[in-house]
Amino acid sequence: MNRSNQRVSVVIPFYNCPYVDLAIESVLNQSYPDIEILVVDDGSEQYTEKLEPYKDRIIYARKTNGGTGSALNMGIRLASGNYFAWLSADDQFHPDKIKRQLDTLTNTGTSFNHTAYYYINEHGERISAVISVPFRSRSELIETMMMGCPVNGSSVLLDMDVLRKVGVFDEKLLYTQDYDLWLRILPHYEWSYIEEPLLDYRVHQGMGSVIHREAQTREIGVVQARHTAVLAQLLRKGRGR
């Protein structure tokens, strides 16, 4: 497969986010040319006017509020690309993100890639050093994923065939739908990682992980319990036990 000619579908779930125009701009400014942008409005009541200047350059869909997983799944159903990327409406891609990731998938023969990133604040100012969590081995990756999720969802690029095999996001999970999906992917596919930051991840008081921290923590426990046995078996197999 010649990946250089493959379309990338970037899905932006949108719910009352004042930064959505900046997210869209960051995708429009990608150096890789064959990208479609799908903005899924999850029943927003605010900031919808920020989408108007982009309506002729995006695929726009509106639905009743159902959570991030349901918005991502609607975008995946509407997508025509061979690759899927998720961008939270308050985050921003760096200009070469998609191109660098496609090149890495080709060079490594992998189907799932994620990257390092920076924290930014409400004003778009970088407030961290590089946030990078590389893994020296697959066993180290599995062990880490069993304890928590170091993968930033907005940094992920994956082959759509992955979703056809393992399924899409679990819409019943309101806060950890990404962690659950990555754990379903891990037993079946090798991952690659780019240690260079290619994403700005916005930290602000209105973000879901701040508002719903306690519920998110409970849900993490549910997801880990769901996958522990399979991952433990995978780990033993990798160690030859």
Side-chain angles (χ1 to χ4, degrees):
M1 180 187 294
N2 183 358
R3 294 182 191 263
S4 65
N5 294 326
Q6 299 300 305
R7 172 166 294 177
V8 176
S9 298
V10 179
V11 179
I12 304 177
F14 166 60
Y15 181 69
N16 296 339
C17 180
Y19 307 104
V20 65
D21 54 328
L22 301 177
I24 294 170
E25 286 283 355
S26 77
V27 185
L28 291 173
N29 290 331
Q30 288 297 295
S31 58
Y32 185 75
D34 194 2
I35 296 176
E36 67 176 3
I37 305 171
L38 303 101
V39 176
V40 180
D41 182 345
D42 194 32
S44 294
E45 299 170 347
Q46 295 177 284
Y47 306 113
T48 55
E49 71 281 356
K50 289 180 175 281
L51 302 177
E52 291 304 321
Y54 305 102
K55 285 289 184 67
D56 61 340
R57 289 177 284 176
I58 65 174
I59 297 168
Y60 172 76
R62 182 174 171 86
K63 59 184 283 299
T64 56
N65 182 255
T68 302
S70 67
L72 287 166
N73 287 345
M74 174 176 273
I76 291 166
R77 288 194 298 272
L78 295 172
S80 65
N82 297 82
Y83 297 89
F84 163 75
W86 160 17
L87 178 59
S88 293
D90 44 8
D91 299 340
Q92 296 170 230
F93 287 167
H94 293 192
D96 289 329
K97 176 184 183 290
I98 298 299
K99 182 181 185 301
R100 289 287 310 281
Q101 290 188 285
L102 285 171
D103 288 345
T104 299
L105 291 182
T106 297
N107 294 336
T108 60
T110 55
S111 299
F112 181 103
N113 179 264
H114 61 118
T115 80
Y117 56 96
Y118 290 110
Y119 287 132
I120 61 172
N121 63 17
E122 292 94 333
H123 309 293
E125 301 162 338
R126 286 182 184 158
I127 56 172
S128 74
V130 176
I131 309 299
S132 181
V133 188
F135 299 99
R136 291 168 294 181
S137 66
R138 183 163 169 80
S139 293
E140 184 180 341
L141 169 61
I142 295 166
E143 286 180 331
T144 303
M145 291 296 293
M146 289 173 73
M147 295 183 292
C149 185
V151 179
N152 188 309
S154 288
S155 81
V156 168
L157 180 76
L158 58 82
D159 192 312
M160 282 287 195
D161 285 341
V162 173
L163 301 179
R164 295 184 187 102
K165 179 178 178 66
V166 307
V168 293
F169 293 94
D170 184 343
E171 298 180 16
K172 298 185 184 70
L173 298 171
L174 296 180
Y175 315 111
T176 58
Q177 67 286 326
D178 53 343
Y179 187 22
D180 172 74
L181 180 57
W182 312 153
L183 291 180
R184 281 188 277 134
I185 292 171
L186 188 55
H188 304 285
Y189 293 94
E190 296 288 333
W191 295 9
S192 54
Y193 183 68
I194 298 174
E195 294 188 37
E196 177 187 343
L198 296 173
L199 170 76
D200 288 332
Y201 175 74
R202 195 181 306 273
V203 179
H204 57 96
Q205 289 304 307
M207 64 195 302
S209 57
V210 171
I211 297 171
H212 306 291
R213 190 179 303 277
E214 288 186 15
Q216 184 182 53
T217 299
R218 288 194 299 272
E219 213 174 76
I220 287 171
V222 171
V223 169
Q224 290 174 335
R226 180 184 293 182
H227 295 283
T228 293
V230 170
L231 293 175
Q233 183 179 13
L234 190 65
L235 197 56
R236 289 193 296 271
K237 182 178 177 182
R239 292 170 172 170
R241 295 178 185 173

